[in-house]
Amino acid sequence: MPTVNVYNLSKEKVGELTLNEEIFNRPVEPHLLHRVVTMQLTNRRSGTAATKGRSQVRGGGKKPFRQKGGGRARAGAITSPLMRKGGVVFGPQPRVYQVKVPKKMKKLALRMALSSKWQSDRLLVLENFNLEEIKTKNFCRIMERFDLKKTLFILEQENLNFEKSARNLPFVKTLRVEGLNVYDILKFEHLVLNQPSVMRLEETLSQ
């Protein structure tokens, strides 16, 4: 069974935690992770890009210039795609970018992403995330103490002192257990959990 050391915020070892092997130590299949991450990024697209066709451009009721004698190609409306500020041919229209992936596949990819962090020794478990005050400087000291850089923190419940201390740092992200996803796990170099969040994850992903 995979085990991990548990530390307090002062980097003192306070115990060991045995992890669920099916969640934190299973074979990683890159193609499955790629499919789920692609799904996540595709579903984030707003699909609101739009252009006007010639029938939607305002104007065009009057012939812009006479048919003959001007030395120009004949034209009947200023809304033509050939004219400046005219309509756009085959331009983008609002659409829905939605890709569906089976729930079992999502859950399996989440287990694999967690396993990849443990197998690469980039998973850290802390006893708790309790900070006495909202202070980014104190949070940075914790990051330096554990030699963390680009890091994702997973909380089991709301923790305003911790979350607000971290939110101004561009290389740090905090998420609740229910918001954990494959893309964010793989995007950040380190993954940090506290003991309650590990229990919640094992309870959720073992079903």
Side-chain angles (χ1 to χ4, degrees):
M1 296 288 285
T3 58
V4 65
N5 293 330
V6 179
Y7 297 91
N8 60 21
L9 294 178
S10 300
K11 205 180 178 180
E12 298 168 344
K13 183 179 174 181
V14 294
E16 279 192 358
L17 186 64
T18 302
L19 302 173
N20 188 323
E21 193 164 10
E22 283 298 308
I23 297 172
F24 289 94
N25 192 25
R26 65 178 306 123
V28 178
E29 300 176 30
H31 72 277
L32 185 58
L33 294 176
H34 177 267
R35 183 169 175 185
V36 173
V37 168
T38 302
M39 177 271 296
Q40 278 187 242
L41 296 180
T42 301
N43 291 348
R44 288 182 185 183
R45 297 184 67 176
S46 60
T48 54
T51 55
K52 291 182 178 181
R54 67 179 300 163
S55 63
Q56 297 168 308
V57 176
R58 186 176 179 182
K62 178 184 176 184
K63 190 174 174 65
F65 44 82
R66 63 180 187 168
Q67 182 86 342
K68 293 174 179 282
R72 303 175 64 181
R74 51 195 170 186
I78 59 172
T79 59
S80 166
L82 300 176
M83 305 290 283
R84 182 171 177 270
K85 296 187 179 180
V88 177
V89 181
F90 303 130
Q93 294 298 317
R95 54 170 291 189
V96 177
Y97 293 95
Q98 280 293 328
V99 178
K100 290 189 177 181
V101 170
K103 288 183 181 179
K104 287 185 178 179
M105 186 178 290
K106 287 183 193 175
K107 194 172 281 190
L108 181 58
L110 199 51
R111 291 175 188 154
M112 288 180 181
L114 291 169
S115 296
S116 70
K117 290 300 179 190
W118 183 81
Q119 291 165 8
S120 60
D121 199 26
R122 291 183 178 178
L123 174 68
L124 175 65
V125 177
L126 299 180
E127 185 180 21
N128 58 62
F129 291 143
N130 297 334
L131 295 179
E132 294 180 359
E133 58 181 337
I134 300 171
K135 203 168 185 66
T136 302
K137 186 182 287 186
N138 292 345
F139 187 90
C140 289
R141 288 197 186 110
I142 295 171
M143 296 283 291
E144 291 170 5
R145 200 171 293 147
F146 287 95
D147 194 26
L148 299 173
K149 294 177 183 175
K150 198 175 178 184
T151 308
L152 176 66
F153 290 86
I154 307 301
L155 297 81
E156 87 287 356
Q157 61 184 4
E158 184 180 64
N159 187 332
L160 291 181
N161 283 6
F162 191 86
E163 292 173 280
K164 288 187 176 182
S165 296
R167 68 182 178 183
N168 284 336
L169 300 174
F171 47 85
V172 171
K173 184 172 184 178
T174 60
L175 281 177
R176 312 276 170 80
V177 170
E178 54 270 19
L180 188 62
N181 60 85
V182 176
Y183 174 71
D184 281 323
I185 294 175
L186 299 179
K187 176 183 176 182
F188 288 88
E189 188 177 349
H190 294 95
L191 177 65
V192 181
L193 306 98
N194 60 357
Q195 282 184 294
S197 62
V198 173
M199 304 302 179
R200 282 275 305 277
L201 274 175
E202 290 185 344
E203 182 184 344
T204 304
L205 295 177
S206 59
Q207 295 174 358

